[in-house]
């Protein structure tokens, strides 16, 4: 397994368009996280999946954001009607269960809304 | 309220010297985990070191050690013998919750190693 994979790496879109990002976690990891990171800031938690169940969702996640993890494998994050404030790096991470396990991050998808 | 506080937006250290990056955290859980990650300019998040809330010994990984003071809720990262390649953003993170599902990050400290 080559680690967490995110596609696309870069996305430029016009304001108002919908975008979808994909994350393929490490195969045996049951936990999957999405974060948003703006320049010079720490990753902000967006949402969390345990297997296929979405168990946590940040208040930062407006109704325009939706995430899925069908069958507990890959995950998608969709942003509808994008706004310029959505421009950021979107990071996906996966981990096994337990308190003492680190999260493994993908390379991220950089979204630019013009 | 912020779960993780890193009060040093930027730090400078001379090559080969040691540096301490501060982290304080807030949780009401008895069981939790504390992590440090490095993010170089290339953007990838690199796991450095872990400390469990019940661990009695401070964690060490090569040149990295964690100064864990549970009563003060602090988990400072110590980097010994700094190298130019250590220049990066450093993030403190905490995993908490019944199943460890909450995994939150601090705002980070930018470390610059001077030759």
């Amino acid at each position: 397994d080559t680690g967490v994979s995110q596609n696309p790496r870069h996305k430029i879109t016009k304001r108002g368009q919908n975008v979808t990002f994909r994350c393929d976690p490490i195969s045996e990891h049951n936990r999957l996280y999405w974060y948003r990171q703006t320049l010079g800031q720490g990753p902000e938690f967006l949402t969390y999946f345990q297997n296929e169940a979405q168990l946590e969702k940040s208040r930062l996640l407006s109704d325009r954001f939706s995430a899925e993890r069908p069958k507990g494998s890959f995950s998608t994050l969709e942003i509808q009607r994008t706004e310029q404030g959505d421009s950021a790096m979107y990071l996906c991470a996966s981990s096994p269960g337990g308190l003492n396990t680190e999260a493994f991050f993908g390379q991220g998808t950089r979204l630019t809304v013009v | 309220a912020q779960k993780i506080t890193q009060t040093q937006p930027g730090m400078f250290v001379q090559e080969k010297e040691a540096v301490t990056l501060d982290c304080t955290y807030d949780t009401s859980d008895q069981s939790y985990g504390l992590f440090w990650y490095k993010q170089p300019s290339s953007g990838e998040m690199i796991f450095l070191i872990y400390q469990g809330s019940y661990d009695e010994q401070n964690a060490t990984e090569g040149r990295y050690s964690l100064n864990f003071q549970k009563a003060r809720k602090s988990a400072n990262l110590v980097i010994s013998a700094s190298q130019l390649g250590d220049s990066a953003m450093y993030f403190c993170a905490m995993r908490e919750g019944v199943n460890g599902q909450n995994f939150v990050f601090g705002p980070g400290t930018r470390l610059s190693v001077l030759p």
Side-chain angles (χ1 to χ4, degrees), chain A residues 22-89:
Chain A
R22 176 176 171 128
C23 172
D24 287 273
I26 294 172
S27 57
E28 62 268 25
H29 288 179
N30 60 352
R31 294 178 176 176
L32 188 146
Y33 300 83
W34 284 100
Y35 294 88
R36 179 172 64 193
Q37 186 178 28
T38 52
L39 199 61
Q41 303 297 315
E44 294 176 296
F45 170 78
L46 293 179
T47 191
Y48 161 75
F49 289 87
Q50 185 159 317
N51 300 310
E52 67 275 9
Q54 188 176 20
L55 298 184
E56 292 282 341
K57 192 173 173 181
S58 167
R59 287 172 298 174
L60 293 172
L61 221 60
S62 75
D63 292 343
R64 296 184 297 105
F65 287 72
S66 62
E68 294 182 340
R69 192 184 182 196
K71 301 179 183 178
S73 56
F74 71 93
S75 176
T76 57
L77 177 69
E78 181 183 17
I79 309 174
Q80 296 181 325
R81 305 181 303 280
T82 51
E83 302 172 356
Q84 286 189 322
D86 297 331
S87 296
M89 176 74 84

Side-chain angles (χ1 to χ4, degrees), chain B residues 9-26:
Chain B
M11 288 282 286
F12 290 89
V13 64
Q14 207 69 37
E15 194 178 5
K16 300 180 185 177
E17 297 292 313
V19 63
T20 298
L21 306 183
D22 295 341
C23 172
T24 57
Y25 59 92
D26 181 28

Side-chain angles (χ1 to χ4, degrees), chain A residues 86-103:
Chain A
D86 297 331
S87 296
M89 176 74 84
Y90 290 84
L91 294 168
C92 175
S94 71
S95 76
L99 278 173
N100 62 347
T101 55
E102 73 267 27

Side-chain angles (χ1 to χ4, degrees), chain B residues 4-5 18-19 22 32 34 36 44-45 54 59 62 66 68 81 86 90 105 112:
Chain B
I4 303 284
T5 302
V19 63
D22 295 341
Y32 51 89
L34 297 159
W36 277 90
E44 73 267 35
M45 293 285 280
Y54 290 118
L66 204 151
F68 180 46
D86 294 335
Y90 288 80
F105 285 77
S112 299

Side-chain angles (χ1 to χ4, degrees), chain A residues 9-11 30 65 100 112:
Chain A
R9 294 289 307 278
H10 303 275
K11 178 71 177 178
N30 60 352
F65 287 72
N100 62 347
T112 303

